[in-house]
Amino acid sequence: MSDEGELKNNKKINMLMYHKFICRHIGVVWFSAVIFSGLFGMNAEYVNAQESGIQEEEMAGIIEDETESEQVVVVIDPGHGGENLGGEYEDYTEKEMTMVVANAMKEELEKYEGIKVYLTRNGDQELSLKERCEYAESVNADFLFCLHFNMSKYHTLFGAECWVSAFGENYSKGYSFASAEMDMLEELGLYSRGIKTRLNDKGTDYYGIIRQSTERNIPCVLIEHCHLDQENDQPFYDHNEKLIEFGRLDATAVAKYFQLSSEELDVDYSGYPNVYVDVPVSVVSPDQTEPDVCMIEVLEQDMTNGEVRVQVSAADYDSGMLYYTYSYDNGLNFSPLQRWPDKSVDTFEFTMQVPPHIVPQIVVNGYNGYDLYTTSNMISLPSMDYKTAEEIAAELAQQEALKSASEAVASEKEHTGVVITRDLSQEQEKKPISFGYFLAVCIVCALLVLGMTISMILILSGRKRKRQRKRRKRRY
């Protein structure tokens, strides 16, 4: 082959190798592009959006919408409002208190990631229960929390409680959240009245807010933070800061239930162990019967101070025991409600004070979780005629007063007695006997003698007449 032909042949070979090189690198670039798109998640929606000329701001909106769809949505319902004042006690009005708690709860919850919070009312509006639940439905609420404060008919009850639906999954979810809420209220120092259901005459949930929520398949818990009309609970709400504390507590219970975290608060409840509650297959009806048993035994009677030690044994196998009261006069008068010391046990002891000078007749009432009670047997004891501390103190005070008075008189005599005696004797020596006094004495003596003389004359004349009568009778 000539040099010219060889040169042409080499050029052809070089061109073929160049084309192969180009094709090979194009393939590598295409393959890298596919791998790159897979690694960085270039989905079809994003590509189509780019091809359609969607602006970056609109794309950010789509991503934000997807993020919001993953958020927990809760609705807080401050109870009452407008002309519906709720409970009123002294200077406190429930509709105003629930608004303070709700605002604090919302503010605290918004410090957590992954949650959206709404209020059914932002001011003093009056809303129906249906309107409140319709609003919760309109924002696709995952949970509705209804905030309240309590009062009782006779102003005797105290403590916090939660009401939940009696039906299905709403009962299960409601009870699970209420367990976290009640644990925190107890840690705050409030007495737990429990987690309960209540039915109306139609067999549906009694409380309208729970009933309306259940119809919309929204779990709902009605929180009764404490009783306004009871001195045991008043220290927990008697200042605005304490209402704000209630709101923060409620928010924390929600965060625990939904296992939320907050960088701002530096807390992480992602592993919080919520109470698991099986979904009931039937209605969870409230307890409508009194405690099954209530018995007492007197362990000791102290006759010197009126103290009586009593053992109580009581049980309610449906709703447990809640309070007890005692009486020393066979039920005519009872003590205020007392906390059941330990709800996990049926038997406990307590010491009561019996007034003096009565025959004690002791009875106890045991109350269950629904405020129904059973009266115990009556035990009559010997009369305790001891003196009270007040009586002993009064006697000592009286003795001290008499002692002080005697000492004062003795001291006065010691300083003035001789002088008084000398003065009186001198006055008696100096005072002469007057003629009038002497004449009066003589007249009195003369009258006495005259009276005695007349009396003797009458007596003698009477005897003389009797003798004369006797003589006349003898003659005849």
Side-chain angles (χ1 to χ4, degrees):
M1 185 177 294
S2 64
D3 293 337
E4 185 177 354
E6 186 176 358
L7 181 61
K8 289 181 179 179
N9 191 37
N10 288 336
K11 286 183 178 179
K12 289 181 180 179
I13 292 171
N14 289 336
M15 288 296 293
L16 288 170
M17 291 179 67
Y18 177 77
H19 285 300
K20 288 180 180 179
F21 175 83
I22 295 298
C23 291
R24 186 182 298 116
H25 279 77
I26 289 173
V28 170
V29 170
W30 178 84
F31 182 77
S32 299
V34 172
I35 297 299
F36 183 85
S37 63
L39 289 174
F40 286 87
M42 294 180 63
N43 55 38
E45 181 181 1
Y46 181 78
V47 174
N48 291 335
Q50 290 289 80
E51 292 176 352
S52 303
I54 296 177
Q55 300 299 319
E56 291 182 2
E57 292 80 1
E58 295 177 352
M59 281 302 300
I62 292 173
I63 295 172
E64 185 177 347
D65 288 340
E66 290 178 352
T67 303
E68 287 184 357
S69 66
E70 297 174 358
Q71 285 185 321
V72 172
V73 179
V74 300
V75 174
I76 302 170
D77 177 40
H80 309 289
E83 294 184 2
N84 183 358
L85 305 180
E88 292 182 279
Y89 186 73
E90 295 181 349
D91 297 330
Y92 302 97
T93 303
E94 187 178 3
K95 70 167 185 177
E96 298 169 356
M97 299 170 70
T98 57
M99 196 72 245
V100 175
V101 177
N103 283 327
M105 182 179 179
K106 182 176 186 292
E107 181 180 348
E108 185 77 359
L109 271 176
E110 288 175 339
K111 296 176 182 177
Y112 289 85
E113 293 88 33
I115 187 168
K116 187 70 175 176
V117 187
Y118 298 92
L119 295 178
T120 56
R121 65 180 179 95
N122 293 299
D124 193 18
Q125 304 100 329
E126 184 170 359
L127 300 170
S128 69
L129 300 177
K130 183 178 180 181
E131 288 173 328
R132 297 168 194 254
C133 294
E134 284 177 344
Y135 176 74
E137 185 179 31
S138 71
V139 298
N140 298 316
D142 295 302
F143 221 115
L144 175 61
F145 302 99
C146 189
L147 312 182
H148 283 268
F149 288 86
N150 218 340
M151 291 181 68
S152 62
K153 184 176 180 180
Y154 300 107
H155 312 298
T156 56
L157 305 181
F158 57 88
E161 63 192 0
C162 285
W163 296 92
V164 300
S165 173
F167 299 90
E169 195 174 49
N170 288 327
Y171 170 81
S172 177
K173 292 181 177 179
Y175 198 102
S176 182
F177 163 77
S179 296
E181 174 77 16
M182 291 306 304
D183 283 347
M184 296 187 67
L185 289 171
E186 279 193 279
E187 289 174 7
L188 189 64
L190 283 157
Y191 187 55
S192 173
R193 287 176 45 79
I195 305 167
K196 295 179 278 192
T197 65
R198 187 176 179 183
L199 301 176
N200 57 24
D201 294 338
K202 297 179 181 179
T204 59
D205 288 312
Y206 175 86
Y207 293 104
I209 193 75
I210 297 177
R211 187 172 61 253
Q212 294 281 346
S213 295
T214 301
E215 291 175 1
R216 293 164 175 78
N217 200 30
I218 302 173
C220 177
V221 172
L222 192 157
I223 305 170
E224 295 280 10
H225 290 91
C226 63
H227 285 73
L228 300 181
D229 55 347
Q230 237 291 333
E231 60 181 7
N232 286 291
D233 289 355
Q234 194 167 15
F236 295 95
Y237 70 83
D238 61 358
H239 194 278
N240 203 61
E241 280 300 319
K242 295 179 181 179
L243 299 179
I244 293 173
E245 186 177 1
F246 271 135
R248 291 172 180 162
L249 182 150
D250 296 340
T252 304
V254 174
K256 288 180 176 180
Y257 174 74
F258 285 109
Q259 298 180 322
L260 304 177
S261 300
S262 170
E263 290 186 7
E264 181 178 349
L265 298 174
D266 192 26
V267 294
D268 183 1
Y269 297 117
S270 58
Y272 182 77
N274 282 302
V275 173
Y276 177 78
V277 181
D278 290 328
V279 177
V281 295
S282 58
V283 179
V284 183
S285 300
D287 186 3
Q288 297 180 326
T289 59
E290 296 81 9
D292 299 276
V293 63
C294 184
M295 298 290 292
I296 63 170
E297 178 183 352
V298 172
L299 303 178
E300 185 179 356
Q301 178 184 13
D302 192 332
M303 305 297 287
T304 63
N305 59 15
E307 290 185 352
V308 177
R309 190 157 60 94
V310 181
Q311 178 178 281
V312 181
S313 297
D316 188 292
Y317 303 113
D318 295 318
S319 60
M321 301 304 296
L322 190 60
Y323 305 112
Y324 73 95
T325 59
Y326 56 85
S327 170
Y328 54 76
D329 54 13
N330 196 20
L332 294 177
N333 298 282
F334 276 94
S335 70
L337 289 176
Q338 309 292 314
R339 299 185 181 200
W340 196 264
D342 185 350
K343 295 175 185 176
S344 65
V345 299
D346 297 335
T347 301
F348 69 95
E349 299 173 8
F350 75 97
T351 299
M352 62 185 295
Q353 182 70 46
V354 177
H357 320 306
I358 68 168
V359 177
Q361 294 180 306
I362 298 174
V363 293
V364 169
N365 284 341
Y367 290 76
N368 66 11
Y370 282 82
D371 307 316
L372 303 172
Y373 68 88
T374 294
T375 302
S376 73
N377 54 305
M378 188 273 287
I379 297 179
S380 183
L381 300 175
S383 176
M384 304 204 293
D385 295 322
Y386 67 95
K387 292 181 180 180
T388 64
E390 292 78 9
E391 290 173 336
I392 294 172
E395 287 184 1
L396 291 174
Q398 186 178 10
Q399 291 174 6
E400 189 66 27
L402 290 173
K403 181 179 178 182
S404 298
S406 300
E407 290 176 352
V409 171
S411 177
E412 184 69 19
K413 285 182 177 180
E414 182 179 349
H415 289 85
T416 63
V418 174
V419 175
I420 292 172
T421 304
R422 186 182 68 247
D423 292 344
L424 288 176
S425 62
Q426 289 176 354
E427 289 177 4
Q428 288 176 356
E429 290 174 359
K430 292 178 180 179
K431 187 176 180 180
I433 299 174
S434 64
F435 177 76
Y437 178 77
F438 176 75
L439 182 60
V441 172
C442 292
I443 292 172
V444 170
C445 292
L447 290 174
L448 288 173
V449 172
L450 179 62
M452 292 175 64
T453 303
I454 294 171
S455 298
M456 290 299 295
I457 293 171
L458 291 174
I459 292 170
L460 293 174
S461 61
R463 289 179 178 178
K464 185 177 180 181
R465 289 193 193 95
K466 287 181 180 180
R467 284 195 295 266
Q468 290 176 351
R469 288 193 197 101
K470 289 179 180 180
R471 290 173 184 169
R472 289 174 185 167
K473 288 180 181 179
R474 290 173 184 171
R475 289 177 185 175
Y476 298 103

